[in-house]
Amino acid sequence: MSSAFTFMQSPVGTLTLVARGECLAAVLWETERENRVRLGALHRDDQCPVLLETARQLGEYFAGKRQRFDLALDFAGTEFQRQVWAALLAIPFGETRSYSDIARHIGNPAAVRAVGAANGRNPISIIAPCHRVIGASGSLTGFAGGLAAKQYLLALEGRQSLALDL
């Protein structure tokens, strides 16, 4: 099955929104690393209902009018990755968690590095808020959209005191 995609302009650059069937499958960055997220065949569909709804909700989020998303999501990954991505969805707006917090949340406290790897492969950026995961010291760490985008998203959610970990 091919996936539909469209583009959305945002304060953090052009986002590529991808749907599989009636579910959102990915929110990708314009600086996306090749093969970070595997999607298969894609076709452009600027009228796809789930993509239009995703763009609407993201627009509200960027305007400061939305704190939670209400979209059907289709995470394609291993069982462990899906556990990590589900844990991301449980992080409240305006709060952050460390990789070790996520590892404990999924019942596997020794899997901190694996959590980091799964977080880095999160296909549904912003919606599944991997930007809310920070280093144990409270510093910003790697992010598929770049650290400036991560800092922007956290500031948008009221977390302005975090430092870049360069």
Side-chain angles (χ1 to χ4, degrees), residues 53-100:
E53 180 61 15
T54 299
R56 184 185 73 76
Q57 289 188 30
L58 281 168
E60 291 174 351
Y61 169 79
F62 287 120
K65 297 177 181 176
R66 176 176 288 274
Q67 295 185 358
R68 297 178 56 95
F69 295 95
D70 183 22
L71 298 162
L73 306 177
D74 182 5
F75 285 108
T78 67
E79 179 59 32
F80 180 82
Q81 287 172 326
R82 288 193 304 272
Q83 286 178 342
V84 171
W85 300 334
L88 298 177
L89 293 169
I91 304 171
F93 180 90
E95 294 185 23
T96 57
R97 299 291 184 271
S98 70
Y99 296 102
S100 59

CSV table of all heavy atoms in Angstrom, one decimal, residues 53-100:
chain,number,residue,atom,x,y,z
A,53,GLU,N,-6.3,17.4,8.2
A,53,GLU,CA,-6.6,17.5,9.7
A,53,GLU,C,-5.3,17.6,10.5
A,53,GLU,O,-5.3,18.4,11.5
A,53,GLU,CB,-7.5,16.3,10.2
A,53,GLU,CG,-7.8,16.4,11.6
A,53,GLU,CD,-8.6,17.6,12.1
A,53,GLU,OE1,-9.2,18.3,11.2
A,53,GLU,OE2,-8.7,17.8,13.3
A,54,THR,N,-4.3,16.9,10.1
A,54,THR,CA,-3.0,17.0,10.8
A,54,THR,C,-2.5,18.4,10.6
A,54,THR,O,-2.0,19.0,11.6
A,54,THR,CB,-2.0,16.0,10.2
A,54,THR,OG1,-2.5,14.7,10.4
A,54,THR,CG2,-0.7,16.1,10.9
A,55,ALA,N,-2.5,19.0,9.4
A,55,ALA,CA,-2.0,20.3,9.2
A,55,ALA,C,-2.8,21.4,10.0
A,55,ALA,O,-2.3,22.3,10.6
A,55,ALA,CB,-2.1,20.7,7.7
A,56,ARG,N,-4.1,21.1,10.1
A,56,ARG,CA,-5.0,22.1,10.9
A,56,ARG,C,-4.6,22.0,12.4
A,56,ARG,O,-4.4,23.1,13.0
A,56,ARG,CB,-6.5,21.7,10.8
A,56,ARG,CG,-7.4,22.7,11.5
A,56,ARG,CD,-8.9,22.2,11.4
A,56,ARG,NE,-9.1,21.0,12.3
A,56,ARG,CZ,-9.2,21.1,13.6
A,56,ARG,NH1,-9.1,22.3,14.2
A,56,ARG,NH2,-9.5,20.0,14.3
A,57,GLN,N,-4.4,20.8,12.9
A,57,GLN,CA,-4.1,20.7,14.3
A,57,GLN,C,-2.7,21.2,14.6
A,57,GLN,O,-2.4,21.8,15.6
A,57,GLN,CB,-4.3,19.2,14.8
A,57,GLN,CG,-5.7,18.8,14.9
A,57,GLN,CD,-5.9,17.5,15.5
A,57,GLN,OE1,-5.1,17.0,16.4
A,57,GLN,NE2,-7.0,16.8,15.1
A,58,LEU,N,-1.7,20.9,13.7
A,58,LEU,CA,-0.4,21.4,13.9
A,58,LEU,C,-0.4,23.0,13.9
A,58,LEU,O,0.3,23.6,14.6
A,58,LEU,CB,0.6,20.9,12.9
A,58,LEU,CG,1.1,19.5,13.1
A,58,LEU,CD1,1.8,18.9,11.9
A,58,LEU,CD2,2.0,19.4,14.3
A,59,GLY,N,-1.2,23.5,13.0
A,59,GLY,CA,-1.3,25.0,12.9
A,59,GLY,C,-1.8,25.6,14.2
A,59,GLY,O,-1.3,26.6,14.7
A,60,GLU,N,-2.8,24.9,14.8
A,60,GLU,CA,-3.3,25.3,16.1
A,60,GLU,C,-2.2,25.2,17.2
A,60,GLU,O,-2.1,26.1,18.0
A,60,GLU,CB,-4.5,24.5,16.5
A,60,GLU,CG,-5.7,24.8,15.7
A,60,GLU,CD,-6.9,23.9,16.0
A,60,GLU,OE1,-6.8,22.9,16.8
A,60,GLU,OE2,-8.0,24.1,15.5
A,61,TYR,N,-1.4,24.2,17.1
A,61,TYR,CA,-0.4,24.0,18.1
A,61,TYR,C,0.7,25.1,18.0
A,61,TYR,O,1.1,25.7,19.0
A,61,TYR,CB,0.3,22.6,17.8
A,61,TYR,CG,1.6,22.4,18.6
A,61,TYR,CD1,1.6,22.0,19.9
A,61,TYR,CD2,2.8,22.5,17.9
A,61,TYR,CE1,2.8,21.8,20.6
A,61,TYR,CE2,4.0,22.3,18.6
A,61,TYR,CZ,4.0,21.9,19.9
A,61,TYR,OH,5.2,21.8,20.6
A,62,PHE,N,1.1,25.4,16.8
A,62,PHE,CA,2.1,26.4,16.5
A,62,PHE,C,1.5,27.8,16.9
A,62,PHE,O,2.3,28.7,17.3
A,62,PHE,CB,2.6,26.4,15.1
A,62,PHE,CG,3.5,25.3,14.8
A,62,PHE,CD1,3.2,24.4,13.8
A,62,PHE,CD2,4.7,25.1,15.5
A,62,PHE,CE1,4.1,23.3,13.5
A,62,PHE,CE2,5.6,24.0,15.2
A,62,PHE,CZ,5.2,23.1,14.2
A,63,ALA,N,0.2,28.0,16.8
A,63,ALA,CA,-0.4,29.3,17.2
A,63,ALA,C,-0.7,29.3,18.7
A,63,ALA,O,-1.2,30.3,19.2
A,63,ALA,CB,-1.7,29.4,16.5
A,64,GLY,N,-0.3,28.3,19.5
A,64,GLY,CA,-0.5,28.3,20.9
A,64,GLY,C,-1.9,28.0,21.3
A,64,GLY,O,-2.3,28.2,22.5
A,65,LYS,N,-2.7,27.4,20.4
A,65,LYS,CA,-4.1,27.1,20.7
A,65,LYS,C,-4.4,25.6,20.9
A,65,LYS,O,-5.6,25.3,21.1
A,65,LYS,CB,-5.0,27.6,19.6
A,65,LYS,CG,-4.9,29.1,19.4
A,65,LYS,CD,-5.7,29.6,18.2
A,65,LYS,CE,-5.5,31.1,18.1
A,65,LYS,NZ,-6.2,31.6,16.9
A,66,ARG,N,-3.4,24.8,20.9
A,66,ARG,CA,-3.6,23.3,21.0
A,66,ARG,C,-2.5,22.8,21.8
A,66,ARG,O,-1.3,23.0,21.6
A,66,ARG,CB,-3.7,22.6,19.6
A,66,ARG,CG,-3.9,21.1,19.8
A,66,ARG,CD,-4.1,20.5,18.4
A,66,ARG,NE,-5.4,20.8,17.9
A,66,ARG,CZ,-6.5,20.0,18.2
A,66,ARG,NH1,-6.4,19.0,19.0
A,66,ARG,NH2,-7.6,20.3,17.6
A,67,GLN,N,-2.9,21.9,22.8
A,67,GLN,CA,-1.9,21.2,23.6
A,67,GLN,C,-1.9,19.7,23.4
A,67,GLN,O,-0.9,19.1,23.8
A,67,GLN,CB,-2.1,21.6,25.1
A,67,GLN,CG,-1.9,23.0,25.4
A,67,GLN,CD,-2.0,23.3,26.9
A,67,GLN,OE1,-2.3,22.4,27.7
A,67,GLN,NE2,-1.7,24.6,27.2
A,68,ARG,N,-2.9,19.2,22.9
A,68,ARG,CA,-3.1,17.7,22.6
A,68,ARG,C,-3.6,17.5,21.2
A,68,ARG,O,-4.4,18.3,20.7
A,68,ARG,CB,-4.1,17.1,23.6
A,68,ARG,CG,-3.6,17.2,25.0
A,68,ARG,CD,-4.7,16.6,25.9
A,68,ARG,NE,-5.0,15.2,25.6
A,68,ARG,CZ,-4.4,14.2,26.1
A,68,ARG,NH1,-3.6,14.3,27.1
A,68,ARG,NH2,-4.7,12.9,25.8
A,69,PHE,N,-3.1,16.5,20.6
A,69,PHE,CA,-3.5,16.1,19.2
A,69,PHE,C,-4.6,15.0,19.3
A,69,PHE,O,-4.5,14.1,20.1
A,69,PHE,CB,-2.3,15.7,18.4
A,69,PHE,CG,-1.4,16.9,18.2
A,69,PHE,CD1,-0.3,17.0,19.0
A,69,PHE,CD2,-1.5,17.8,17.2
A,69,PHE,CE1,0.6,18.0,18.9
A,69,PHE,CE2,-0.6,18.8,17.0
A,69,PHE,CZ,0.4,19.0,17.9
A,70,ASP,N,-5.5,15.1,18.4
A,70,ASP,CA,-6.5,14.1,18.3
A,70,ASP,C,-6.5,13.5,16.9
A,70,ASP,O,-7.3,13.9,16.0
A,70,ASP,CB,-7.9,14.7,18.6
A,70,ASP,CG,-9.0,13.7,18.6
A,70,ASP,OD1,-8.7,12.4,18.8
A,70,ASP,OD2,-10.2,14.1,18.4
A,71,LEU,N,-5.6,12.6,16.6
A,71,LEU,CA,-5.4,12.0,15.3
A,71,LEU,C,-5.2,10.5,15.5
A,71,LEU,O,-4.6,10.0,16.4
A,71,LEU,CB,-4.1,12.6,14.7
A,71,LEU,CG,-4.2,14.1,14.4
A,71,LEU,CD1,-2.8,14.6,14.2
A,71,LEU,CD2,-5.1,14.4,13.2
A,72,ALA,N,-5.7,9.7,14.5
A,72,ALA,CA,-5.4,8.3,14.5
A,72,ALA,C,-3.9,8.1,14.0
A,72,ALA,O,-3.6,8.7,12.9
A,72,ALA,CB,-6.3,7.6,13.5
A,73,LEU,N,-3.1,7.4,14.7
A,73,LEU,CA,-1.7,7.2,14.4
A,73,LEU,C,-1.4,5.8,14.0
A,73,LEU,O,-1.9,4.9,14.5
A,73,LEU,CB,-0.8,7.6,15.6
A,73,LEU,CG,-1.1,9.0,16.2
A,73,LEU,CD1,-0.2,9.2,17.4
A,73,LEU,CD2,-0.9,10.1,15.1
A,74,ASP,N,-0.5,5.7,13.0
A,74,ASP,CA,0.0,4.4,12.5
A,74,ASP,C,1.5,4.3,12.7
A,74,ASP,O,2.2,4.7,11.8
A,74,ASP,CB,-0.4,4.1,11.1
A,74,ASP,CG,0.0,2.8,10.6
A,74,ASP,OD1,0.5,1.9,11.3
A,74,ASP,OD2,-0.2,2.5,9.4
A,75,PHE,N,2.0,3.8,13.8
A,75,PHE,CA,3.4,3.7,14.1
A,75,PHE,C,3.9,2.4,13.5
A,75,PHE,O,3.4,1.3,13.9
A,75,PHE,CB,3.7,3.7,15.6
A,75,PHE,CG,3.6,5.0,16.3
A,75,PHE,CD1,2.5,5.3,17.1
A,75,PHE,CD2,4.5,6.0,16.1
A,75,PHE,CE1,2.4,6.5,17.8
A,75,PHE,CE2,4.5,7.2,16.7
A,75,PHE,CZ,3.4,7.4,17.6
A,76,ALA,N,4.8,2.5,12.6
A,76,ALA,CA,5.4,1.3,12.0
A,76,ALA,C,6.8,1.1,12.6
A,76,ALA,O,7.7,1.9,12.4
A,76,ALA,CB,5.5,1.4,10.5
A,77,GLY,N,7.0,0.1,13.4
A,77,GLY,CA,8.3,-0.2,14.1
A,77,GLY,C,8.2,-1.5,14.9
A,77,GLY,O,7.2,-2.2,14.8
A,78,THR,N,9.3,-1.8,15.6
A,78,THR,CA,9.3,-3.0,16.4
A,78,THR,C,8.4,-2.8,17.6
A,78,THR,O,8.0,-1.6,17.9
A,78,THR,CB,10.7,-3.2,16.9
A,78,THR,OG1,11.1,-2.2,17.8
A,78,THR,CG2,11.7,-3.3,15.7
A,79,GLU,N,8.1,-3.8,18.3
A,79,GLU,CA,7.3,-3.7,19.5
A,79,GLU,C,8.0,-2.8,20.5
A,79,GLU,O,7.3,-2.0,21.2
A,79,GLU,CB,7.1,-5.1,20.1
A,79,GLU,CG,6.3,-5.1,21.4
A,79,GLU,CD,4.9,-4.5,21.3
A,79,GLU,OE1,4.3,-4.7,20.2
A,79,GLU,OE2,4.4,-3.9,22.2
A,80,PHE,N,9.3,-2.9,20.7
A,80,PHE,CA,10.0,-2.0,21.7
A,80,PHE,C,9.9,-0.6,21.2
A,80,PHE,O,9.6,0.3,22.1
A,80,PHE,CB,11.5,-2.4,21.7
A,80,PHE,CG,12.2,-1.5,22.7
A,80,PHE,CD1,12.2,-1.8,24.1
A,80,PHE,CD2,13.0,-0.5,22.2
A,80,PHE,CE1,12.9,-0.9,24.9
A,80,PHE,CE2,13.7,0.4,23.1
A,80,PHE,CZ,13.6,0.1,24.4
A,81,GLN,N,10.1,-0.3,19.9
A,81,GLN,CA,9.9,1.1,19.5
A,81,GLN,C,8.5,1.6,19.7
A,81,GLN,O,8.3,2.8,20.2
A,81,GLN,CB,10.2,1.2,18.0
A,81,GLN,CG,11.7,1.0,17.7
A,81,GLN,CD,12.0,0.9,16.2
A,81,GLN,OE1,11.2,0.3,15.4
A,81,GLN,NE2,13.1,1.5,15.7
A,82,ARG,N,7.5,0.8,19.5
A,82,ARG,CA,6.1,1.2,19.7
A,82,ARG,C,5.8,1.5,21.2
A,82,ARG,O,5.1,2.4,21.5
A,82,ARG,CB,5.1,0.2,19.1
A,82,ARG,CG,5.1,0.3,17.5
A,82,ARG,CD,3.9,-0.5,16.9
A,82,ARG,NE,3.9,-1.9,17.4
A,82,ARG,CZ,4.5,-2.9,16.8
A,82,ARG,NH1,5.2,-2.7,15.7
A,82,ARG,NH2,4.3,-4.1,17.2
A,83,GLN,N,6.5,0.8,22.1
A,83,GLN,CA,6.4,1.0,23.5
A,83,GLN,C,7.0,2.4,23.8
A,83,GLN,O,6.4,3.2,24.6
A,83,GLN,CB,7.1,0.0,24.3
A,83,GLN,CG,6.4,-1.4,24.4
A,83,GLN,CD,7.2,-2.4,25.2
A,83,GLN,OE1,8.4,-2.2,25.4
A,83,GLN,NE2,6.5,-3.4,25.6
A,84,VAL,N,8.1,2.7,23.3
A,84,VAL,CA,8.8,4.0,23.5
A,84,VAL,C,7.9,5.1,23.0
A,84,VAL,O,7.7,6.1,23.6
A,84,VAL,CB,10.2,4.0,22.9
A,84,VAL,CG1,10.8,5.4,23.0
A,84,VAL,CG2,11.1,3.0,23.7
A,85,TRP,N,7.4,4.9,21.7
A,85,TRP,CA,6.6,6.0,21.1
A,85,TRP,C,5.3,6.2,21.9
A,85,TRP,O,4.8,7.3,22.0
A,85,TRP,CB,6.4,5.7,19.7
A,85,TRP,CG,7.7,5.6,18.9
A,85,TRP,CD1,8.9,6.2,19.2
A,85,TRP,CD2,7.9,4.8,17.7
A,85,TRP,NE1,9.8,5.8,18.2
A,85,TRP,CE2,9.3,5.0,17.3
A,85,TRP,CE3,7.1,3.9,16.9
A,85,TRP,CZ2,9.8,4.4,16.2
A,85,TRP,CZ3,7.7,3.3,15.8
A,85,TRP,CH2,9.0,3.5,15.5
A,86,ALA,N,4.7,5.1,22.4
A,86,ALA,CA,3.5,5.3,23.2
A,86,ALA,C,3.9,6.1,24.5
A,86,ALA,O,3.1,6.9,25.0
A,86,ALA,CB,2.9,3.9,23.6
A,87,ALA,N,5.0,5.8,25.1
A,87,ALA,CA,5.5,6.6,26.3
A,87,ALA,C,5.6,8.0,25.9
A,87,ALA,O,5.3,8.9,26.8
A,87,ALA,CB,6.8,6.0,26.8
A,88,LEU,N,6.1,8.4,24.7
A,88,LEU,CA,6.2,9.8,24.3
A,88,LEU,C,4.8,10.5,24.4
A,88,LEU,O,4.7,11.6,24.8
A,88,LEU,CB,6.8,9.9,22.9
A,88,LEU,CG,8.2,9.4,22.7
A,88,LEU,CD1,8.5,9.5,21.2
A,88,LEU,CD2,9.2,10.1,23.6
A,89,LEU,N,3.8,9.7,23.9
A,89,LEU,CA,2.5,10.3,23.9
A,89,LEU,C,1.9,10.6,25.3
A,89,LEU,O,1.0,11.4,25.5
A,89,LEU,CB,1.5,9.3,23.2
A,89,LEU,CG,1.8,9.2,21.7
A,89,LEU,CD1,0.9,8.0,21.1
A,89,LEU,CD2,1.5,10.5,20.9
A,90,ALA,N,2.5,10.0,26.3
A,90,ALA,CA,2.1,10.2,27.7
A,90,ALA,C,2.8,11.4,28.4
A,90,ALA,O,2.4,11.7,29.5
A,90,ALA,CB,2.3,8.9,28.5
A,91,ILE,N,3.8,12.0,27.7
A,91,ILE,CA,4.4,13.1,28.3
A,91,ILE,C,3.5,14.4,28.1
A,91,ILE,O,3.2,14.8,27.0
A,91,ILE,CB,5.8,13.4,27.6
A,91,ILE,CG1,6.7,12.2,27.7
A,91,ILE,CG2,6.5,14.6,28.3
A,91,ILE,CD1,8.0,12.3,26.9
A,92,PRO,N,3.1,15.0,29.2
A,92,PRO,CA,2.2,16.1,29.1
A,92,PRO,C,2.9,17.3,28.4
A,92,PRO,O,4.1,17.6,28.5
A,92,PRO,CB,1.9,16.5,30.6
A,92,PRO,CG,2.2,15.2,31.3
A,92,PRO,CD,3.3,14.6,30.6
A,93,PHE,N,2.0,18.1,27.8
A,93,PHE,CA,2.4,19.4,27.2
A,93,PHE,C,3.2,20.2,28.2
A,93,PHE,O,2.8,20.3,29.4
A,93,PHE,CB,1.2,20.1,26.7
A,93,PHE,CG,1.4,21.5,26.1
A,93,PHE,CD1,1.6,21.6,24.7
A,93,PHE,CD2,1.5,22.6,26.8
A,93,PHE,CE1,1.9,22.8,24.1
A,93,PHE,CE2,1.7,23.9,26.3
A,93,PHE,CZ,1.9,23.9,24.9
A,94,GLY,N,4.3,20.8,27.8
A,94,GLY,CA,5.1,21.7,28.7
A,94,GLY,C,6.0,21.0,29.7
A,94,GLY,O,6.6,21.6,30.5
A,95,GLU,N,6.0,19.6,29.6
A,95,GLU,CA,6.9,18.9,30.6
A,95,GLU,C,7.9,18.1,29.7
A,95,GLU,O,7.7,17.9,28.5
A,95,GLU,CB,6.0,17.9,31.4
A,95,GLU,CG,5.1,18.6,32.4
A,95,GLU,CD,4.4,17.6,33.3
A,95,GLU,OE1,4.9,16.5,33.5
A,95,GLU,OE2,3.3,17.9,33.8
A,96,THR,N,9.0,17.7,30.4
A,96,THR,CA,10.0,16.9,29.8
A,96,THR,C,10.3,15.7,30.6
A,96,THR,O,9.9,15.6,31.7
A,96,THR,CB,11.3,17.8,29.6
A,96,THR,OG1,11.7,18.2,30.9
A,96,THR,CG2,11.1,18.9,28.7
A,97,ARG,N,10.9,14.7,29.9
A,97,ARG,CA,11.3,13.5,30.5
A,97,ARG,C,12.7,13.2,30.0
A,97,ARG,O,13.1,13.5,28.9
A,97,ARG,CB,10.4,12.3,30.2
A,97,ARG,CG,9.0,12.5,30.7
A,97,ARG,CD,8.8,12.4,32.2
A,97,ARG,NE,7.4,12.5,32.6
A,97,ARG,CZ,6.7,13.6,32.8
A,97,ARG,NH1,7.3,14.8,32.7
A,97,ARG,NH2,5.5,13.6,33.2
A,98,SER,N,13.5,12.4,30.8
A,98,SER,CA,14.8,12.0,30.4
A,98,SER,C,14.6,10.6,29.7
A,98,SER,O,13.6,9.9,29.9
A,98,SER,CB,15.8,11.9,31.6
A,98,SER,OG,15.4,10.8,32.4
A,99,TYR,N,15.7,10.2,29.1
A,99,TYR,CA,15.7,8.8,28.5
A,99,TYR,C,15.5,7.8,29.5
A,99,TYR,O,14.8,6.8,29.3
A,99,TYR,CB,17.0,8.6,27.7
A,99,TYR,CG,17.1,9.5,26.5
A,99,TYR,CD1,18.0,10.6,26.6
A,99,TYR,CD2,16.4,9.3,25.3
A,99,TYR,CE1,18.1,11.5,25.5
A,99,TYR,CE2,16.6,10.2,24.2
A,99,TYR,CZ,17.4,11.3,24.4
A,99,TYR,OH,17.5,12.1,23.3
A,100,SER,N,16.1,8.0,30.7
A,100,SER,CA,16.0,7.0,31.8
A,100,SER,C,14.5,7.0,32.3
A,100,SER,O,14.0,6.0,32.7
A,100,SER,CB,17.0,7.2,32.9
A,100,SER,OG,16.9,8.5,33.4
